[in-house]
Amino acid sequence: MQWTPGGVSNDVEDRRGEGGGFSGMRLGTPHFGIGGILLLRILSLVFHRNLFTIFSSDAGSDQAFTTSAPASTDAENKEVQFVSFVLDDVQKTWQNLLPAQGGKQYRNAKLVLFRDASESACGEAQSAVGPFYCPEDEKVYLDLGFFEELKGRFGAPGEFAQAYVIAHEIGHHVQKILGIEAKVRRLQQSNRAEVNPLSVRMELQADCFAGIWANSTEQRKIIDNSDVDAGMRAAAAVGDDRLQKQATGRVRPESFTHGSSQQRTQWFQSGLQSGNISACDTFR
Ligand SMILES: [Zn+2]
């Protein structure tokens, strides 16, 4: 991939210094647990006060504690710049394409970098679950350790495989903007038997949307054929990245399938070749 390090994206929210968010030892935020968080949320509603700030000893001092976190390595700093480059490029691409192709203005998602665990509006983000997009807060959650896993466990090395993961997650954000995510969630709630098949279609469409970005980068000579091969391997190899938010507000990872490797590469190709969301109707 052709890219030049250019600093950290404005849309990257770096929480790596927070030592694991709610699960960690950060002084400003005690460990409430999911039950405790829910309880505080309910009590906050009842009392019309944000009780999180009361139970956090001193929210204003959070910044000071990030400096005592483990120092980032040079390699990791480069990865942050790479993530920034890809994130900005994917989102710029959608800013250009979405009004014409989908009739909607694109709004940027944020990408949260964390270590081990962090809090999301969809529940706790954990490294073990892999990267995911939370439609509630419109943020992508990513632990850079996942890229190591991508190389090791999934056998999908290369920068484009990493870029593909980010483009796929932003694909879920595009689904949110287009109202597809809400529609699918309603269908899933009214017909439990359709939960898994609909999830597969959502995932395949995100693969296709990642392909649309790849089409744009190919035209701009950012990627070449070997990158595309790596992207295909990633599409075929990457495991589940979705947390299913239950109606109760609790979160539990689901073990639904993403469709076969063949389906995933096929839909990635469809986006790559067409560069158009009309070629990504996986619900047909
Ligand atoms: Zn996904």
Side-chain angles (χ1 to χ4, degrees):
M1 266 185 84
Q2 298 294 320
W3 71 283
T4 36
V8 179
S9 166
N10 287 333
D11 292 317
V12 164
E13 209 177 290
D14 196 349
R15 296 189 196 160
R16 288 173 303 152
E18 295 182 7
F22 278 90
S23 292
M25 300 300 289
R26 192 173 66 155
L27 282 168
T29 313
H31 185 181
F32 298 124
I34 295 288
I37 291 163
L38 272 179
L39 188 64
L40 277 179
R41 260 179 209 154
I42 292 163
L43 288 174
S44 297
L45 283 173
V46 170
F47 292 108
H48 300 287
R49 292 186 65 177
N50 184 355
L51 296 173
F52 285 90
T53 54
I54 294 168
F55 284 91
S56 308
S57 52
D58 182 7
S61 66
D62 282 2
Q63 218 53 40
F65 291 105
T66 60
T67 53
S68 62
S72 305
T73 62
D74 283 351
E76 210 175 69
N77 284 337
K78 199 187 165 204
E79 266 184 345
V80 173
Q81 301 212 20
F82 177 71
V83 167
S84 292
F85 167 79
V86 173
L87 179 69
D88 286 347
D89 199 85
V90 173
Q91 302 212 93
K92 242 177 271 162
T93 301
W94 283 113
Q95 270 160 16
N96 292 333
L97 293 183
L98 203 60
Q101 294 187 3
K104 287 262 168 42
Q105 284 301 319
Y106 182 80
R107 56 177 181 268
N108 281 13
K110 298 279 179 199
L111 186 147
V112 177
L113 288 173
F114 68 96
R115 274 187 231 279
D116 305 326
S118 190
E119 191 59 20
S120 87
C122 299
E124 192 176 64
Q126 286 181 336
S127 302
V129 181
F132 69 96
Y133 169 74
C134 171
E136 308 292 319
D137 55 20
E138 303 199 343
K139 291 177 183 179
V140 173
Y141 289 81
L142 176 69
D143 183 327
L144 290 177
F146 180 76
F147 288 161
E148 292 306 310
E149 215 175 324
L150 202 57
K151 287 178 207 157
R153 195 183 344 161
F154 299 117
E159 287 176 331
F160 191 72
Q162 300 175 353
Y164 164 82
V165 170
I166 296 166
H168 171 98
E169 297 307 337
I170 294 297
H172 286 309
H173 180 56
V174 173
Q175 290 174 320
K176 160 91 191 269
I177 292 173
L178 291 174
I180 296 167
E181 184 266 341
K183 206 167 145 189
V184 165
R185 201 161 17 150
R186 275 198 303 276
L187 285 170
Q188 286 176 324
Q189 274 159 3
S190 62
N191 187 352
R192 302 305 291 175
E194 283 298 304
V195 168
N196 285 2
L198 284 168
S199 293
V200 170
R201 287 167 191 269
M202 284 283 277
E203 293 306 323
L204 293 176
Q205 190 173 56
D207 287 333
C208 189
F209 287 173
I212 290 176
W213 174 69
N215 172 285
S216 150
T217 56
E218 204 176 32
Q219 285 175 28
R220 289 176 286 134
K221 310 275 181 235
I222 292 173
I223 63 166
D224 58 28
N225 283 338
S226 67
D227 291 316
V228 172
D229 289 345
M232 305 280 273
R233 278 199 300 279
V238 172
D240 187 8
D241 64 350
R242 292 276 293 180
L243 283 174
Q244 276 277 321
K245 188 162 186 280
Q246 304 300 308
T248 55
R250 274 182 296 134
V251 169
R252 66 159 196 249
E254 293 276 64
S255 55
F256 54 75
T257 56
H258 273 65
S260 67
S261 295
Q262 196 215 344
Q263 278 177 311
R264 300 201 73 182
T265 49
Q266 182 199 319
W267 282 106
F268 175 77
Q269 283 272 29
S270 186
L272 175 67
Q273 278 158 12
S274 68
N276 198 299
I277 60 174
S278 62
C280 296
D281 185 5
T282 56
F283 296 91
R284 211 172 35 218

